[in-house]
Amino acid sequence: MGLLQERYKNYREPQKFMQMGVYPYFRAITSKQGTEVEMEGHRVLMFGSNAYTGLTGDERIIRKAKEALDKYGSGCAGSRFLNGTLDLHVELEKEIANFIHKEDCLCFSTGFSVNQGVLAMVVGKGDYIICDDRDHASIVDGRRLSFARQLHYKHNDMGDLERVLQSLPEEGIKLIVVDGVFSMEGDLANLPEIIRLKKKYNCAVMVDEAHGIGVFGEQGRGVCDHFGLTDEVDLIMGTFSKSLASIGGFIASDKDTINYLKHTCRTYIFSASNTPAATAAALEALHIIQQEPERIERLWKVTNYALKRFREEGFEIGETESPIIPLYVRDIDKTFLVTKLAFDAGVFINPVIPPACAPQDTLVRFALMATHTEEQVERGVLALKKIFKEQGIIKE
């Protein structure tokens, strides 16, 4: 056995939970994504999905993906930079730029690679990146690749953000990077105050709209639009793997910044371009959310119902303002146990443990889609209430 294998032979943390019978990861789904799915031989309510618009099984999107597969084949066999650009990619970028109300846009193969690549290139030596403590892992990894000085502030603490900004010199680019919707806790960035501080300290701002697109703002344009601050935000990032029912991501900004990134961003230049089917699916989903505002209205109706019911039943749900509802457990072992008991009861939820949260903040994540019904939510709430009471998480 070599040194590499020797190092990892004692990594057995997952096996510990397997032996306890509560290991929750890599379960195989054997049906389309939807509000109910087939998994491990039985049907469960799906409250672990990021498909907020409920479009992953939409026949119109599937048809467009099939048509693209027939026309262009299964892949592009190269990067966008060289032989991998289709007219379909160009069309999607133009439509996203128009939708987001930015001058230009670049589409990437994954959302993760957007943050990883853009942050590595858009700021450099002599510049500063300032991040919220709870920013997504892709932002964390992207800033690590940058030569800019890295700083952070306490989650949504605008006083702490100002403290950081006050310590920085006037010269040098200062980029504040923040999730629009925080993906585990469901709360929103305090974007109005961030923009006030941007102007006061001559900063730039980048907002990750992965969980905001298709949920907030006019026609689902995101949190920046929700606050009426799109023009004040310098870079807007988003993904296709959630509300847009596909895979991939984008960065939208002014033409000069996009021109620079198009010719320097390594995760764009050196990655194979997104598949024709995935690109066509995202494009059709973008059309649908603009044509069907009632879809987002349904999402908010069922979200507000769920928020009300969880609060009524005594769950601790924090400061969420979105279809992401954290149900705090505050114990790692119990978080896994609750997830297993919920699955046995026909409810799929996601456990959230470190490093996705602090050890004292473990939770299960309950997420809504526009296609969920109030009856399905009620079944989920009552099943989880029984489990949380039995485990002493909710007190009488």
Side-chain angles (χ1 to χ4, degrees):
M1 182 178 289
L3 291 176
L4 184 69
Q5 291 78 14
E6 191 72 28
R7 174 182 290 175
Y8 299 118
K9 73 175 185 179
N10 292 321
Y11 174 64
R12 289 293 177 266
E13 191 69 11
Q15 283 68 30
K16 180 183 83 171
F17 292 106
M18 290 176 188
Q19 290 169 2
M20 293 167 60
V22 296
Y23 182 76
Y25 304 122
F26 302 106
R27 290 186 171 125
I29 297 172
T30 55
S31 65
K32 284 182 183 177
Q33 284 275 351
T35 59
E36 298 188 31
V37 298
E38 296 289 339
M39 190 181 293
E40 295 185 2
H42 68 296
R43 197 160 184 82
V44 295
L45 288 165
M46 174 50 73
F47 291 112
S49 174
N50 294 320
Y52 305 115
T53 53
L55 285 170
T56 47
D58 191 282
E59 290 300 325
R60 292 166 293 180
I61 293 174
I62 293 169
R63 183 173 64 253
K64 288 293 183 181
K66 288 178 177 177
E67 290 173 0
L69 191 64
D70 289 338
K71 180 176 180 179
Y72 299 99
S74 59
C76 298
S79 72
R80 290 288 306 279
F81 199 64
L82 297 174
N83 65 297
T85 291
L86 304 177
D87 55 354
L88 204 57
H89 294 126
V90 176
E91 182 182 358
L92 179 58
E93 287 173 338
K94 286 180 179 177
E95 293 209 18
I96 289 173
N98 289 334
F99 178 68
I100 297 296
H101 293 160
K102 287 295 180 187
E103 289 182 353
D104 209 350
C105 169
L106 280 186
C107 289
F108 291 63
S109 299
T110 68
F112 197 107
S113 65
V114 178
N115 284 335
Q116 193 176 47
V118 169
L119 290 175
M121 294 308 305
V122 80
V123 285
K125 191 173 182 180
D127 300 332
Y128 304 87
I129 297 179
I130 307 101
C131 295
D132 188 289
D133 269 345
R134 296 186 187 171
D135 277 349
H136 191 265
S138 58
I139 294 174
V140 174
D141 281 9
R143 80 183 190 203
R144 285 172 176 167
L145 291 172
S146 171
F147 289 107
R149 183 181 169 194
Q150 300 170 32
L151 304 107
H152 59 88
Y153 59 95
K154 296 174 185 175
H155 176 55
N156 254 347
D157 186 331
M158 297 297 100
D160 197 41
L161 173 57
E162 184 157 23
R163 175 192 63 79
V164 172
L165 296 175
Q166 286 172 338
S167 71
L168 302 180
E170 289 186 16
E171 65 274 9
I173 294 172
K174 298 177 282 289
L175 178 65
I176 303 168
V177 188
V178 67
D179 287 6
V181 182
F182 290 91
S183 58
M184 297 297 113
E185 298 83 6
D187 54 337
L188 307 188
N190 188 347
L191 200 54
E193 184 65 9
I194 290 171
I195 295 301
R196 185 186 74 80
L197 293 173
K198 164 195 166 168
K199 294 177 178 178
K200 182 175 180 181
Y201 293 98
N202 191 27
C203 302
V205 172
M206 175 174 166
V207 176
D208 180 328
E209 286 276 25
H211 297 268
I213 298 293
V215 179
F216 288 92
E218 184 183 0
Q219 295 182 315
R221 287 184 170 86
V223 172
C224 299
D225 183 87
H226 169 74
F227 285 116
L229 293 170
T230 297
D231 290 345
E232 304 292 346
V233 176
D234 300 272
L235 298 116
I236 295 177
M237 174 270 180
T239 62
F240 306 143
S241 58
K242 299 171 177 63
S243 289
L244 296 182
S246 185
I247 186 70
F250 68 84
I251 190 74
S253 188
D254 62 277
K255 284 187 178 297
D256 290 336
T257 301
I258 294 299
N259 175 59
Y260 170 74
L261 290 170
K262 183 182 288 188
H263 296 91
T264 61
C265 183
R266 294 167 69 87
T267 59
Y268 179 79
I269 294 172
F270 294 102
S271 290
S273 57
N274 215 347
T275 66
T279 306
L283 185 59
E284 182 65 9
L286 184 63
H287 294 160
I288 291 171
I289 66 170
Q290 293 175 85
Q291 294 161 2
E292 299 180 357
E294 66 275 10
R295 185 172 292 272
I296 298 174
E297 291 169 9
R298 287 202 304 270
L299 172 62
W300 278 104
K301 181 180 179 183
V302 75
T303 294
N304 290 328
Y305 178 80
L307 290 168
K308 173 176 173 288
R309 291 293 293 121
F310 278 120
R311 290 190 175 108
E312 287 174 348
E313 297 297 346
F315 288 84
E316 182 188 357
I317 65 172
E319 303 298 320
T320 181
E321 302 176 63
S322 72
I324 300 166
I325 304 178
L327 308 177
Y328 284 93
V329 179
R330 303 194 183 281
D331 178 282
I332 291 175
D333 288 352
K334 279 190 177 181
T335 298
F336 281 127
L337 179 58
V338 163
T339 304
K340 168 66 164 58
L341 294 172
F343 183 79
D344 292 344
V347 179
F348 185 97
I349 47 177
N350 290 313
V352 180
I353 63 166
C357 67
Q360 69 273 16
D361 292 333
T362 66
L363 58 96
V364 291
R365 182 181 182 275
F366 187 100
L368 282 306
M369 294 180 253
T371 42
H372 277 122
T373 65
E374 290 184 3
E375 184 273 334
Q376 288 174 322
V377 170
E378 189 67 18
R379 283 160 55 195
V381 169
L382 294 179
L384 290 169
K385 178 187 176 184
K386 181 176 184 293
I387 293 164
F388 271 55
K389 287 183 69 175
E390 288 172 350
Q391 298 304 316
I393 304 164
I394 292 178
K395 310 295 184 183
E396 288 288 355

